[in-house]
Structures are given as structure tokens and as C-alpha cells.
Amino acid sequence: MLKGKTALVTGSTSGIGLGIAKALARQGANIVLNGFGDVAGPTGEIAGFGVKVRYHGADMSKPAEIEAMMAYAATEFGQIDILVNNAGIQHVARIEDFPVERWDAVIAINLTSAFHATRLALPSMRKANWGRIINVASVHGLVASAEKSAYVAAKHGIVGLTKVTALENATTGVTCNAICPGWVLTPLVQKQVDAKAAALGVSNEEAKKVLLGEKEPSMQFTTPEELGELAVFFCSPAGNNVRGVAWNMDGGWTAQ
Ligand code: NAD
């Protein structure tokens, strides 16, 4: 379905970003990966789908590096047809204890980077009259949790950015939507499981149950594979007039 298209997925060396990159590659899209850590593993996995894969290590907190990555992708593949703004970090602390440097980093990586990538991707998408911008927000773009001020502010912000991007391009073939996962067992959440296990003095498995029990009625983690298939739907012809939605995949979290 996506043969000949190019998808750039930020923060795709692990977790949800890698899951989405794999789902898009399975549909035939060439992929530009981004993120830190192991690059060879994810590159090999994507190449296994028989598509072209490139990597750019831009730090998404640095606008000049984002510009360099977008230019690199355009040079390698002609243009970016699908942009997935996914890179994100978390920091958990009460507001009065929240380190200012962590606030700035969360806002820069989880919100401002999406503005930069979007503004740089739009001109060629509009010229082609086809494009998909998918912002990985969170249930925390819809509701809040204590001790996650920067994250919740960034995720509510990216839901707003999604709506504005959708509206400004509503008469074109460029759509923009957000995905709002509940708990997904990635390294980002494993850190919170570890903290919970340490704080309560319980095993890892018990800590997972406590975490799910607090918020997610299904008592199941959403998977990167499931989120990848939602991204594929947004890219399909059936998604042509889906614009500005914030689609939760959260085991009932926000239904409560
Ligand atoms: P993860 O830690 O597994 O992956 C994060 C990715 O972002 C990695 O590839 C990492 O290298 C990259 N990254 C981090 N800082 C970066 C930077 N400065 N520049 C470039 N890349 C950077 O986390 P994840 O859980 O897969 O999270 C992906 C997205 O999904 C985030 O936006 C997160 O907020 C969101 N999300 C996660 C959950 C969850 O439960 N895991 C739930 C809702 C939303």
C-alpha cells in the first residue's frame, strides 16, 4: 500500500517508534530512522521488509539538527511523505521539585521538535498534494496524572498542534492526526515499573499490575505493533478525511 512512499519516524530506535516504522515498512514504505542507542538492530529489522532504510542521529531537542535530518531525508529519498513525530522522554516529579532543565528538555523533545519537523515537511507534502503527519501524543494529551507536569503539558500541546496542522491543510491531501496510547511496555515505561517496584518493595510483575490497575481497566499493555497498525490506517485511502483526531488506544483509561 505504501510502496514508493518515504516515512521518517523520530525516536524510532526503540519502543513505539520502532513498532510504527516496522508497520509502515511492512506496507512497503522506505524508512528514515532516528534516535539514540542501538542503530544496527533496528536498521536490520527494517531492511528485512525489503525497503530502503536510512538513519539520521539528530538530537530532537536541537532545531539545527532537526533541519539537517529533514534535508538529509529529502536528499536520500526526494521527499518525506509520512512524518511520525514520536521521540519523547518522561520525567516524574512534583512541580515544586521539578528540575528546570528537565522541564525544558521534555518540552523541547516531546513538543517543539514536532513543530520543527512539521514546518519543514509541509511544503513538499503540499506540493505533492499528499502527506501524512502522525503525532504520537498520549492519554496524557487528553487527561492528566500527578507528577508529570512537563509531559502532560507537552502532550496536551501536541494534541493542539495536531488540530491546527489538520485545519491549515484541510483542503489538501495532507492530513494530521494524533495517537494517544495508554501504558505501553517500552523502556520509557519500564523505568516507571522499576521505580514502582522499588517504592513498594514488590516484584517487577506485581509492579506492572499495580501500574495497570491504577489507570488501565483492560489490565493489558497496548503494544507497539497495535499502534503501528493504527498509523497504517491513517496512511490508507480510508484515512483520507480523518483530520485532527486524537485517537486513544488505552484499554479504557480515558473512558472512565
Ligand atoms: P522509548 O524510550 O522506548 O523510545 C523513545 C525513542 O526516542 C528512542 O528511540 C530514543 O532514542 C528516542 N529519543 C529520546 N530522546 C531523543 C532525542 N533527544 N532526540 C532523538 N531521539 C530521542 O519510549 P516509547 O515509550 O517508545 O515512547 C515513544 C513515544 O510514545 C513518546 O513520545 C512517548 O511519550 C509516547 N508514549 C509512550 C507511552 C508508553 O506507555 N510507553 C504511552 C503514551 C505515549
Side-chain angles (χ1 to χ4, degrees), residues 141-201:
L142 305 169
V143 295
S145 294
E147 302 190 356
K148 294 187 175 173
S149 54
Y151 190 84
V152 169
K155 294 301 186 181
H156 275 66
I158 205 168
V159 169
L161 176 66
T162 301
K163 292 175 184 172
V164 175
T165 309
L167 290 179
E168 289 185 2
N169 297 284
T171 59
T172 76
V174 180
T175 72
C176 179
N177 294 289
I179 295 179
C180 298
W183 291 124
V184 186
L185 194 56
T186 65
L188 182 142
V189 162
Q190 187 59 50
K191 275 190 212 156
Q192 294 173 64
V193 173
D194 294 344
K196 183 76 75 189
L200 300 179

Side-chain angles (χ1 to χ4, degrees), residues 69-216:
M69 176 182 70
M70 300 300 281
Y72 168 78
T75 306
E76 289 294 306
F77 289 117
Q79 74 169 63
I80 299 161
D81 305 289
I82 300 164
L83 168 66
V84 183
N85 289 309
N86 165 80
I89 58 168
Q90 176 63 284
H91 188 83
V92 181
R94 289 180 59 83
I95 293 172
E96 61 270 33
D97 304 324
F98 214 93
V100 171
E101 163 278 319
R102 285 288 84 196
W103 171 278
D104 289 343
V106 171
I107 299 295
I109 296 165
N110 296 21
L111 176 59
T112 309
S113 74
F115 160 69
H116 289 298
T118 299
R119 74 179 173 79
L120 295 163
L122 275 172
S124 64
M125 286 182 178
R126 288 182 62 104
K127 202 162 162 211
N129 200 32
W130 197 92
R132 294 289 185 263
I133 299 174
I134 300 171
N135 292 327
V136 179
S138 165
V139 284
H140 286 115
L142 305 169
V143 295
S145 294
E147 302 190 356
K148 294 187 175 173
S149 54
Y151 190 84
V152 169
K155 294 301 186 181
H156 275 66
I158 205 168
V159 169
L161 176 66
T162 301
K163 292 175 184 172
V164 175
T165 309
L167 290 179
E168 289 185 2
N169 297 284
T171 59
T172 76
V174 180
T175 72
C176 179
N177 294 289
I179 295 179
C180 298
W183 291 124
V184 186
L185 194 56
T186 65
L188 182 142
V189 162
Q190 187 59 50
K191 275 190 212 156
Q192 294 173 64
V193 173
D194 294 344
K196 183 76 75 189
L200 300 179
V202 298
S203 71
N204 219 274
E205 282 314 302
E206 281 169 55
K208 283 181 197 163
K209 283 194 197 129
V210 173
L211 209 76
L212 286 167
E214 283 169 359
K215 301 280 186 183
E216 196 145 327

